[in-house]
Amino acid sequence: MEDKKLYTLLVYSENIAGILNQITAVFTRRQINIESLNVSASSIENVHKYTITCYSDPEQIVKITKAIEKKIDVVKAQYYTDEQLFIHEIALFKISTQVLLDNPEVSRTIRKHDARMMEVNPTYSTVLLAGLTEDIADLFKRLNEFNCILQYTRSGRIAVTRSFEEPISDFLDEQERIEKGSE
C-alpha cells in the first residue's frame, strides 16, 4: 500500500442545510480524519466552497471525491496536491505582554516570521500570521519555547487552484451549453 499524503479537496455545492454533514459522512464511513475544513461562499452566486484537507492514498482519495460528487446538492468536487494550489492559513496568537517586554527575542521572532502585532495591552498582546501551515507551526513552536502563549487558534486551509479559472466555472459553462442544446 502506498504512503498516505496530504490532499486538498475543493467541493462546490448549493447552499443547502445539511450538505456539510453529508460530505463529512463520506470521510467518517472510510475512517479518514479531516485535518482542516473551511466553508465559505464561492465566487459564484449561491454556490459554497468547501476546502477540506486529509491524509489519504491515491486510490482512496479518488473514491472519496467520487462519493462526495454523487451527493445531489454537490455541484463539483476535485482533489489536489499542494503543488497544484495557492494555499494560505491564518493564525492568532495571544501572548503575555510581560514576556514580550522582558525578552527582546520574542519580538525578533515575531518580526522574523513576518507576523503582525494586532493589539498590545498591559496583560496580553495579539499576533496575527497569515501564511503556510509550516510557517505557522514554526512560529507556534518558537513562541511556545518562550512560554508566552496564552491562547492560540488557526484557521482551516483556504486554497485556489493555479489554473486560470475555478474548475467549477468550466463545469457550469458545460452544463449551460447542454441545457441550451436540449431546448
Side-chain angles (χ1 to χ4, degrees), residues 4-19:
K4 293 185 178 200
K5 65 188 233 177
L6 187 68
Y7 288 96
T8 300
L9 284 90
L10 299 182
V11 180
Y12 299 87
S13 78
E14 296 178 38
N15 187 14
I16 305 291
I19 190 69

Side-chain angles (χ1 to χ4, degrees), residues 49-61:
K49 181 178 182 179
Y50 301 75
T51 305
I52 306 166
T53 61
C54 68
Y55 284 95
S56 180
D57 58 62
E59 183 180 311
Q60 184 81 317
I61 199 68

Side-chain angles (χ1 to χ4, degrees), residues 14 20 29 52-53 58 60 67 77 90 105 118 142 168 170:
E14 296 178 38
L20 178 59
R29 279 194 297 276
I52 306 166
T53 61
Q60 184 81 317
I90 296 173
E105 279 303 309
M118 301 297 293
R142 303 282 180 236
I168 190 170
D170 294 336

Side-chain angles (χ1 to χ4, degrees), residues 22-40:
Q22 292 177 41
I23 291 170
T24 57
V26 171
F27 293 89
T28 304
R29 279 194 297 276
R30 288 168 176 75
Q31 296 183 351
I32 300 289
N33 188 44
I34 293 174
E35 296 296 319
S36 75
L37 170 66
N38 184 296
V39 182
S40 64

